[in-house]
Amino acid sequence: MYHVVILAEQAMTAGDAQEVVSLHEDIEDSRHYHVLVPCDNAAQRVEQALGTLAASEMLSSPPVLTETVNVEEVQEEIDDEAEDAVEASVGAIRALGADATGEFSAADPIDTLAAAVESHRAAEVIVMTRPHVVAELLHLDWASKARRRLGVPILHLLEHEPLDAEAGTGQGITGM
């Protein structure tokens, strides 16, 4: 079996899935796609927000009143969004007749990717993101980090923008 691990920044669209599956049409072995969707860690998000508030107070900004944050509720909300993204991505790939599974994680995306590559014995990795020009220029983006760490081919694709229901338009993906 030919295994491909996909690290997707957001839910894959039908166009994303079509692009990915079409890359492997000439492979005679059966193919399996495993989609990884990273998500935020609520506790870290709250800690960053509090750090920002503390920094703003030092810069003489007026204090901001905040309600008590229930980190567990925030994490549950984040996890639900990530699970929806995984289900949409896996569903888009399966709709094309391909075999797919997926998962989400609040852990470091490259650590999660490395573990998935090892456990699935992946032949290649596809990293799907929105454009991140500065990170890519400085080679700090996920694809660059994965290339330095993993011993498999890495392909970086830009994700399709979800179709605008009213305008009926969307932006295609391109390889990088």
Side-chain angles (χ1 to χ4, degrees), residues 7-20:
L7 176 60
E9 185 173 19
Q10 60 192 21
M12 293 172 62
T13 65
D16 294 333
Q18 178 61 45
E19 183 74 15
V20 167

Side-chain angles (χ1 to χ4, degrees), residues 1-146:
M1 170 137 341
Y2 190 84
H3 292 275
V4 178
V5 176
I6 303 166
L7 176 60
E9 185 173 19
Q10 60 192 21
M12 293 172 62
T13 65
D16 294 333
Q18 178 61 45
E19 183 74 15
V20 167
V21 171
S22 71
L23 293 171
H24 306 103
E25 289 176 343
D26 295 337
I27 295 175
E28 293 181 14
D29 287 345
S30 57
R31 298 164 305 227
H32 175 81
Y33 299 93
H34 185 75
V35 181
L36 300 174
V37 176
C39 67
D40 286 334
N41 179 306
Q44 289 175 349
R45 186 186 281 183
V46 169
E47 184 177 314
Q48 288 172 347
L50 292 174
T52 302
L53 288 174
S56 68
E57 287 176 9
M58 291 180 68
L59 298 173
S60 301
S61 296
V64 177
L65 299 175
T66 59
E67 295 181 26
T68 303
V69 177
N70 184 334
V71 175
E72 290 176 6
E73 285 180 13
V74 172
Q75 189 65 55
E76 187 175 317
E77 199 173 296
I78 291 169
D79 290 351
D80 288 346
E81 289 175 15
E83 187 172 353
D84 290 347
V86 169
E87 289 174 6
S89 300
V90 169
I93 294 170
R94 287 181 179 167
L96 298 170
D99 183 35
T101 56
E103 64 182 294
F104 68 91
S105 174
D108 178 84
I110 303 303
D111 290 344
T112 305
L113 178 62
V117 166
E118 185 177 332
S119 69
H120 289 274
R121 296 187 176 137
E124 71 178 90
V125 168
I126 296 175
V127 177
M128 299 194 76
T129 66
R130 299 181 310 263
H132 297 284
V133 179
V134 174
E136 291 168 16
L137 179 68
L138 298 174
H139 301 286
L140 299 173
D141 60 306
W142 290 345
S144 295
K145 289 178 179 181

